[in-house]
């Protein structure tokens, strides 16, 4: 698998632990559905401590941190920004109390793509909202298996997939992303073009519909219907 190549019309990179990816999922699924296309959904497991430092809370109180004041300012703004758009979708977005290793939940994206593509959106609904309500331990294989089953996706063999083929493919893809110019989520890729952020969805639509007329400006919604849950 090449980071910028796909047989699908659009590659979509997401991470379960990203608030920005969280608020992009429903609008992107709505776009996919409205166009009658199948996008190539892929995991990008962010290494947050490498650029934003690390921290851990317990019962809402900070107990460990190596972040600077400016890093904390950026993080707080990022959550406030994403929370505004989560609330508009009727979703709850609570700040996490630690930096999660989201690789297992992200590998489940690849599992769904391979085993039951039509239920990928159901998996996102089973994992994203409860994780952001602080109800899921996404580092627990059994918890992620339960999310797959809730979505109607057979999880038989998933644990072995995480330890073997799925992990190998995940790690190989992650190693390609930064050298390819992909750094965050959600990221949309088509024809070698890389767009970071769901505000580009109107431009993505314009491209996928044949680039007719002038290109649209960036926006946080495609239209009022697609801002709502599928």
């Amino acid at each position: 698998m090449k980071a910028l190549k796909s047989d699908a019309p659009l590659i979509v990179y997401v991470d379960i632990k990203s608030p920005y990816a969280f608020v992009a999922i429903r609008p992107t699924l709505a776009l996919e559905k409205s166009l009658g296309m199948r996008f190539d959904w892929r995991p990008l497991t962010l290494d947050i401590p490498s650029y934003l430092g690390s921290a851990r809370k317990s019962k809402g109180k900070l107990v460990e941190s190596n972040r600077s004041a400016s890093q904390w300012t950026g993080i707080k703004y990022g959550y406030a920004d994403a929370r505004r758009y989560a609330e508009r979708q009727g979703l709850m977005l609570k700040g996490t109390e630690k930096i999660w290793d989201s690789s297992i939940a992200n590998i489940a994206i690849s599992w769904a793509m391979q085993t039951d593509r039509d239920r990928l959106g159901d998996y996102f609904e089973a994992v994203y909202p409860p994780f952001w309500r602080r109800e899921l331990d996404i580092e627990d294989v059994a918890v992620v298996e339960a999310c797959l089953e809730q979505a109607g996706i057979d999880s038989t063999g998933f644990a072995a997939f995480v330890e073997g083929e799925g992990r190998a493919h995940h790690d190989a893809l992650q190693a390609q992303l930064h050298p390819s110019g992909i750094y965050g989520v959600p990221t949309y890729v088509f024809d070698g073009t890389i767009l970071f952020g769901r505000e580009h969805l109107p431009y993505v639509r314009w491209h996928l519909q044949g680039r007719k007329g002038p290109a649209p400006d960036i926006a946080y919604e495609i239209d009022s219907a697609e801002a709502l849950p599928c």
Side-chain angles (χ1 to χ4, degrees):
M1 180 183 291
K2 300 295 185 181
L4 301 180
K5 300 291 184 181
S6 176
D7 293 332
L10 182 72
I11 303 171
V12 184
Y13 284 99
V14 295
D15 184 356
I16 301 300
K17 71 171 175 291
S18 164
Y20 283 118
F22 175 40
V23 297
I25 290 297
R26 288 179 176 178
T28 306
L29 286 170
L31 176 61
E32 182 181 49
K33 182 178 180 180
S34 71
L35 296 178
M37 295 179 176
R38 287 194 168 198
F39 299 161
D40 185 351
W41 295 80
R42 299 180 182 180
L44 189 169
T45 301
L46 296 166
D47 180 11
I48 293 174
S50 69
Y51 61 97
L52 283 176
S54 62
R56 182 172 61 87
K57 292 182 178 180
S58 178
K59 298 179 180 179
K61 294 184 178 181
L62 186 66
V63 295
E64 180 182 324
S65 174
N66 64 4
R67 287 173 172 161
S68 66
S70 61
Q71 285 174 324
W72 274 115
T73 298
I75 290 165
K76 289 176 181 178
Y77 172 80
Y79 271 104
D81 188 36
R83 189 172 291 116
R84 279 190 288 268
Y85 298 101
E87 290 173 351
R88 293 198 65 223
Q89 296 180 45
L91 297 167
M92 181 181 294
L93 193 163
K94 293 183 177 181
T96 60
E97 295 203 315
K98 71 171 188 174
I99 297 175
W100 292 84
D101 176 359
S102 53
S103 61
I104 295 172
N106 286 342
I107 290 170
I109 297 171
S110 301
W111 175 265
M113 287 287 293
Q114 293 180 31
T115 63
D116 201 342
R117 172 64 178 80
D118 290 342
R119 295 188 181 276
L120 177 64
D122 296 319
Y123 169 67
F124 285 142
E125 283 297 311
V127 69
Y128 262 113
F131 173 71
W132 286 102
R133 294 194 300 263
R134 298 184 188 163
E135 296 172 359
L136 289 185
D137 179 354
I138 58 171
E139 295 176 353
D140 186 330
V141 172
V143 170
V144 177
E145 286 177 328
C147 291
L148 288 167
E149 293 290 341
Q150 181 182 334
I153 301 170
D154 187 359
S155 66
T156 304
F158 176 68
F161 184 74
V162 170
E163 294 297 323
E165 177 188 355
R167 174 67 64 179
H169 286 174
H170 169 275
D171 292 353
L173 179 60
Q174 304 313 300
Q176 295 181 47
L177 297 180
H178 283 196
S180 298
I182 300 171
Y183 297 94
V185 289
T187 287
Y188 305 96
V189 180
F190 57 79
D191 298 339
T193 298
I194 301 170
L195 300 172
F196 169 60
R198 75 183 181 107
E199 65 268 28
H200 295 292
L201 282 174
Y203 187 92
V204 172
R205 175 193 277 282
W206 173 78
H207 169 78
L208 294 177
Q209 289 185 315
R211 304 174 73 92
K212 298 175 183 177
D217 199 353
I218 60 173
Y220 275 103
E221 295 173 356
I222 301 169
D223 58 39
S224 58
E226 288 172 0
L228 299 174
C230 300

